[in-house]
Amino acid sequence: MNRNDLKVIQGGASNAVTVGEHKFISAYVTDTRLMGVIGLHIHWAIESPSLFSDFHQFFYFDAEEFGLETYRSVVGNESFEITLIEKTLIDGLGGEKKNLNEREARYLVQQFVKTTFALNTTPCEPQSEYAFLLEDPIILNAEELNAIADKLCTSMKSHHQVIHYYLMRTFGRDIEGASYLLSKNAQIEEISEKQPSTLCRNTIEEFLNPDGSLSYLSESLIEVENSYKIVLSELKLENEKVCFAKKRSSFSVSPAEVAMLLNRPEFVTLFEILVDPDEFESEFSHFSAGAMQTIHDNGRLYLEFNHNNDHVIRQTFRLNEDVHGLYYISDYGQLVIAAYTKDDIRDLENRLHKSGINLMIIPTAKYEFKEPVLYEFIQSDFDDFNEFIESLQ
């Protein structure tokens, strides 16, 4: 299900949620600020002349491009609707949930809206439902700001993780995000491009300086305005913070070179769908709750993300390693599942086998490719996956 397919649960109380007294019950935020996105949930009790009920608000914030991108709400405590929104907006971020007090929750919403306008975008609707959170400006002291920063940012488990996150935020021109990883007196030079860029891949090598200090040389593949560059930079760390950063060189790379750098195996299992498309769609919508859906000319693709961001800890970072698996339902009546490791494809297969979908499909082929082909199939004019593979041979 696409995040934008979710609707406000009216329950006959759409106007009542904007008036009356909102009594704070609880709130949590995901510790994913260094990934550039945040999920926030606030739980209220509403008392008004026409309503006495629980009220749940969900916010999805993108620090680089869109600001406050998505807002959803639920009146009452309908567990299915709440769980569905959490799976769609929150769980895919790969972070842990950190409890907030009311002051912190209100502050974050106010910052979300402020940043959204700074990005020259408009906060998502209906703004009237969260307007009451903006009425009284919240100003945090230094101690409170440090406390909320600790909740927004996951704890660092490796030096590689610090560097990957810092470069990710820097290339995205997310100054606030990068600042969470800087030491107090850091000596940094401009590493990023003038335009926000995406860190697609980053490798790190360590070397000792003549003075005995340790430096990290990063080779970063970035995408900027539909072209690619490699940026070489040197960084130093102090107490899990970046204390020195300097660009050494940068150069453009061709699409062929990019393909080589991002290349990795892809494991694919093909199924034939045995039932009516509407019947299958109904069952699959429950199975894929929380996956991100994109619509294509000949079918629908569902991306299932990992439940953590451990791929940032490794010495080599790849942006797409947060994907656990892919499901493509073609209009031709095929289900194609894909993953980038053998363990992941086995997990996808086992979960399908244990679900109600198992009686609706039959496996017909298994493939192992040296490089990804599913996206190429989706963008091709072929309806049948087997015929597409034959054409490649």
Side-chain angles (χ1 to χ4, degrees):
M1 179 172 289
N2 193 309
R3 288 199 305 266
N4 294 324
D5 290 336
L6 294 171
K7 304 296 182 184
V8 175
I9 308 304
Q10 304 289 358
S14 59
N15 295 324
V17 300
T18 63
V19 297
E21 180 183 355
H22 294 76
K23 181 181 178 181
F24 179 81
I25 296 179
S26 65
Y28 69 74
V29 68
T30 59
D31 62 350
T32 53
R33 179 61 181 85
L34 298 177
M35 293 296 293
V37 289
I38 299 172
L40 170 65
H41 171 217
I42 312 177
H43 181 192
W44 307 92
I46 299 180
E47 295 184 26
S48 71
S50 58
L51 178 69
F52 180 83
S53 179
D54 290 271
F55 181 46
H56 297 264
Q57 295 180 299
F58 295 87
F59 302 85
Y60 180 92
F61 174 74
D62 178 343
E64 290 186 27
E65 286 188 87
F66 305 109
L68 187 49
E69 180 182 355
T70 306
Y71 168 79
R72 296 290 179 262
S73 65
V74 175
V75 176
N77 284 317
E78 175 54 55
S79 60
F80 174 78
E81 300 296 342
I82 293 171
T83 300
L84 182 59
I85 295 177
E86 284 187 314
K87 285 186 175 181
T88 305
L89 289 185
I90 306 295
D91 293 352
L93 300 181
E96 295 184 7
K97 300 171 182 176
K98 300 298 179 69
N99 292 328
L100 301 173
N101 59 40
E102 181 177 1
R103 185 174 166 82
E104 291 171 330
R106 287 177 177 268
Y107 171 81
L108 282 178
V109 175
Q110 292 177 11
Q111 292 302 113
F112 291 170
V113 172
K114 181 180 178 180
T115 302
T116 303
F117 285 120
L119 292 170
N120 294 318
T121 59
T122 303
C124 52
E125 298 291 346
Q127 296 182 37
S128 59
E129 283 200 8
Y130 55 88
F132 72 95
L133 293 168
L134 311 177
E135 293 173 354
D136 300 315
I138 302 294
I139 300 175
L140 302 183
N141 59 38
E143 184 179 349
E144 290 175 313
L145 287 171
N146 287 333
I148 205 167
D150 288 340
K151 295 179 181 181
L152 292 174
C153 301
T154 184
S155 59
M156 296 295 103
K157 300 176 182 177
S158 73
H159 288 177
H160 299 144
Q161 185 182 21
V162 176
I163 294 169
H164 292 321
Y165 271 134
Y166 176 74
L167 291 175
M168 200 186 303
R169 297 297 95 232
T170 297
F171 287 122
R173 298 196 67 83
D174 177 7
I175 298 174
E176 178 186 331
S179 70
Y180 291 125
L181 293 170
L182 286 175
S183 64
K184 186 175 182 180
N185 298 310
Q187 299 177 8
I188 59 171
E189 296 182 6
E190 189 70 59
I191 294 178
S192 66
E193 301 294 306
K194 293 182 179 180
Q195 303 80 18
S197 311
T198 301
L199 180 63
C200 302
R201 183 179 186 269
N202 192 62
T203 59
I204 302 171
E205 297 294 338
E206 302 178 3
F207 64 91
L208 280 174
N209 295 300
D211 62 1
S213 64
L214 186 64
S215 287
Y216 298 87
L217 182 65
S218 285
E219 180 182 284
S220 307
L221 173 66
I222 63 172
E223 181 181 8
V224 51
E225 293 190 331
N226 297 317
S227 62
Y228 291 88
K229 282 187 174 182
I230 284 181
V231 178
L232 298 177
S233 57
E234 181 186 350
L235 300 94
K236 295 180 181 180
L237 302 184
E238 182 180 72
N239 298 324
E240 305 300 326
K241 300 279 188 178
V242 175
C243 63
F244 173 88
K246 182 177 182 179
K247 179 192 287 188
R248 291 303 184 186
S249 64
S250 66
F251 51 91
S252 299
V253 289
S254 68
E257 292 172 303
V258 171
M260 289 180 60
L261 289 170
L262 297 180
N263 189 32
R264 58 178 177 164
E266 184 176 65
F267 301 87
V268 173
T269 303
L270 178 64
F271 300 86
E272 293 294 327
I273 299 173
L274 305 175
V275 298
D276 179 82
D278 290 339
E279 182 182 354
F280 182 80
E281 181 68 28
S282 176
E283 185 68 28
F284 193 80
S285 65
H286 295 290
F287 176 84
S288 61
M292 185 178 76
Q293 179 190 158
T294 55
I295 306 298
H296 299 270
D297 290 340
N298 298 315
R300 299 171 305 288
L301 178 67
Y302 298 81
L303 269 69
E304 184 177 87
F305 296 98
N306 291 322
H307 296 303
N308 58 57
N309 292 311
D310 286 352
H311 63 295
V312 187
I313 300 175
R314 302 165 189 156
Q315 185 171 358
T316 296
F317 163 81
R318 291 182 175 85
L319 179 63
N320 57 6
E321 284 188 341
D322 63 342
V323 175
H324 179 64
L326 306 93
Y327 305 84
Y328 181 68
I329 303 173
S330 75
D331 296 338
Y332 186 71
Q334 292 180 328
L335 170 64
V336 187
I337 67 172
Y340 300 119
T341 69
K342 290 182 179 180
D343 288 341
D344 285 345
I345 194 66
R346 290 192 193 104
D347 181 61
L348 302 188
E349 292 170 345
N350 290 335
R351 287 175 52 225
L352 281 172
H353 180 72
K354 295 175 182 178
S355 72
I357 297 174
N358 185 50
L359 299 177
M360 300 180 175
I361 55 177
I362 183 170
T364 58
K366 290 174 67 72
Y367 299 95
E368 179 180 343
F369 302 102
K370 293 182 179 179
E371 58 190 35
V373 300
L374 179 56
Y375 276 105
E376 190 175 345
F377 166 65
I378 293 172
Q379 295 168 0
S380 73
D381 294 326
F382 283 88
D383 295 320
D384 184 280
F385 187 76
N386 288 316
E387 291 181 1
F388 168 75
I389 298 304
E390 290 176 4
S391 73
L392 297 180
Q393 299 172 349

